Amino acid sequence: MADPQWRLFLPKEWASDTGRRTVTRVPPEVTHREKWRLALDMLDTLAGWGMRPPVVVADAAYGTNAHLRAGLAERGIDYVLAVRADVTAHPFEEQPVAPARNGPVGCWPQPRYRHPAPSVAALAAGLAQDAFTTAAWRNGSRGELRSRFAAVRIRPAGKAVERPIRTAASAEQGWWDGVLPDCWLLVEWPEGAEAPTDYWLSNLPADMAIVDLVRLAKVRWRIEHDYRELKHGLGLDHFEGRSWPGWHHLVTLVTAAHAFLTEQRLAPKAPSPASPSTRSSMHSRTP
């Protein structure tokens, strides 16, 4: 089930429009905040409640953002995030090299990668065919869903990745060895396709089995299913009000209804020797 928290994204033009804010009763402390920051805010709220997601999954609109990935890593949260094909990364085995020093004076040059980082699409295209294996992740309406996948260790690159690492290393030890952290690159290349179709980055352990990476990458179908039910079945996208409190009232009621329906779906339909009651196995927080 999708995270039951909600944050209403306030565009910059709304955040600076006093008239709109007054009419719609937007609280003064609420300002424009990027969507990836709102996502981290929700995780921080969960942490304050003593709750922690086992793994965070998200589409490429979030996964491509290096700031979000860094924020999750800083919080010790594992993730499997879809990314765009143009995200850049160095091969795992590539190492930074320090340029030669010019003259006897001046600072020693810091190590850096000697070649521009290729895109994950280019890295995937360079994989041998035997690097891909067929894996299934769930049963669909037409049988088992399966495709070909490869998982390799890479080092995501880019200024947004490098800058905070360099700053932290320089502050702690006065220099940086230039080595970028490694993570998983999961690639899907369906049978018969001319090129790979999907890419994910994950900071899960290096000994993680590829079938588990695939299962987690593909679990987003459940989230999309929940959103579809929230929007079309329970009226989440039918809101026609024009106020901050009204929107929050709607999403609260819709979320409560969705939680009830989810428990009903998971509960046995009738008593049986193996299931003496129709009580859901999920503990409900509702009174």
Side-chain angles (χ1 to χ4, degrees), residues 114-128:
R114 308 310 297 167
H115 305 287
S119 67
V120 293
L123 290 174
L127 295 174

Side-chain angles (χ1 to χ4, degrees), residues 226 228-238 250 253-259 261:
D226 284 343
R228 186 166 57 250
E229 186 175 71
L230 286 163
K231 290 178 180 179
H232 305 308
L234 299 173
L236 179 63
D237 61 351
H238 299 164
L250 172 74
L253 293 173
V254 168
T255 302
H258 186 250
L261 292 176

Side-chain angles (χ1 to χ4, degrees), residues 141-162:
S141 58
R142 298 182 180 179
E144 191 175 54
L145 299 179
R146 56 177 54 234
S147 185
R148 296 193 314 147
F149 298 89
V152 294
R153 302 295 289 183
I154 50 91
R155 301 182 186 276
K159 296 299 183 184
V161 176
E162 297 172 11

Side-chain angles (χ1 to χ4, degrees), residues 184-239:
W184 282 113
L185 167 63
L186 178 66
V187 182
E188 181 178 2
W189 194 334
E191 191 74 40
E194 295 183 357
T197 56
D198 295 284
Y199 310 88
W200 296 264
L201 296 182
S202 174
N203 65 342
L204 286 165
D207 60 354
M208 180 67 65
I210 188 171
V211 291
D212 293 325
L213 288 172
V214 170
R215 178 180 57 83
L216 290 167
K218 291 293 188 176
V219 80
R220 280 201 64 254
W221 79 272
R222 180 70 250 180
I223 300 172
E224 295 301 328
H225 181 280
D226 284 343
Y227 280 143
R228 186 166 57 250
E229 186 175 71
L230 286 163
K231 290 178 180 179
H232 305 308
L234 299 173
L236 179 63
D237 61 351
H238 299 164
F239 180 61

Side-chain angles (χ1 to χ4, degrees), residues 23-24 34 61 77 132 135-136 138 167 197 220 231 238 247 257 266 268 280:
V23 171
T24 55
E34 298 91 335
I77 297 175
F132 290 84
R138 68 177 177 90
T167 300
T197 56
R220 280 201 64 254
K231 290 178 180 179
H238 299 164
W247 183 83
L266 295 175
S280 169

Side-chain angles (χ1 to χ4, degrees), residues 7-263:
R7 294 291 190 279
L8 184 60
F9 173 72
L10 199 65
K12 287 183 178 179
E13 58 269 24
W14 269 82
S16 58
D17 191 323
T18 304
R20 279 180 171 178
R21 295 177 63 99
T22 301
V23 171
T24 55
R25 290 183 282 169
V26 176
E29 65 273 14
V30 176
T31 61
H32 169 74
R33 196 160 175 78
E34 298 91 335
K35 292 181 180 179
W36 66 270
R37 293 187 190 275
L38 293 177
L40 293 177
D41 289 345
M42 288 191 283
L43 291 170
D44 290 340
T45 298
L46 284 177
W49 297 343
M51 302 174 67
R52 177 191 182 91
V55 180
V56 168
V57 296
D59 60 23
Y62 287 90
T64 297
N65 191 303
H67 300 296
L68 174 67
R69 300 197 306 268
L72 293 173
E74 289 170 3
R75 289 162 173 78
I77 297 175
D78 293 331
Y79 60 76
V80 180
L81 305 173
V83 296
R84 294 197 311 262
D86 60 352
V87 166
T88 58
H90 294 284
F92 174 78
E93 64 277 3
E94 188 171 337
Q95 293 293 318
V97 177
R101 187 183 186 189
N102 294 324
V105 296
C107 298
W108 288 96
Q110 290 197 345
R112 55 187 175 88
Y113 290 90
R114 308 310 297 167
H115 305 287
S119 67
V120 293
L123 290 174
L127 295 174
Q129 285 299 308
D130 59 7
F132 290 84
T133 183
T134 299
W137 59 92
R138 68 177 177 90
N139 289 319
S141 58
R142 298 182 180 179
E144 191 175 54
L145 299 179
R146 56 177 54 234
S147 185
R148 296 193 314 147
F149 298 89
V152 294
R153 302 295 289 183
I154 50 91
R155 301 182 186 276
K159 296 299 183 184
V161 176
E162 297 172 11
R163 190 175 295 113
I165 298 173
R166 180 187 294 109
T167 300
S170 299
E172 292 176 7
Q173 56 199 33
W175 78 295
W176 178 43
D177 62 8
V179 178
L180 291 167
D182 60 295
C183 70
W184 282 113
L185 167 63
L186 178 66
V187 182
E188 181 178 2
W189 194 334
E191 191 74 40
E194 295 183 357
T197 56
D198 295 284
Y199 310 88
W200 296 264
L201 296 182
S202 174
N203 65 342
L204 286 165
D207 60 354
M208 180 67 65
I210 188 171
V211 291
D212 293 325
L213 288 172
V214 170
R215 178 180 57 83
L216 290 167
K218 291 293 188 176
V219 80
R220 280 201 64 254
W221 79 272
R222 180 70 250 180
I223 300 172
E224 295 301 328
H225 181 280
D226 284 343
Y227 280 143
R228 186 166 57 250
E229 186 175 71
L230 286 163
K231 290 178 180 179
H232 305 308
L234 299 173
L236 179 63
D237 61 351
H238 299 164
F239 180 61
E240 297 182 358
R242 296 292 185 271
S243 74
W244 175 273
W247 183 83
H248 283 82
H249 292 161
L250 172 74
V251 297
T252 299
L253 293 173
V254 168
T255 302
H258 186 250
F260 172 78
L261 292 176
T262 300
E263 287 201 324

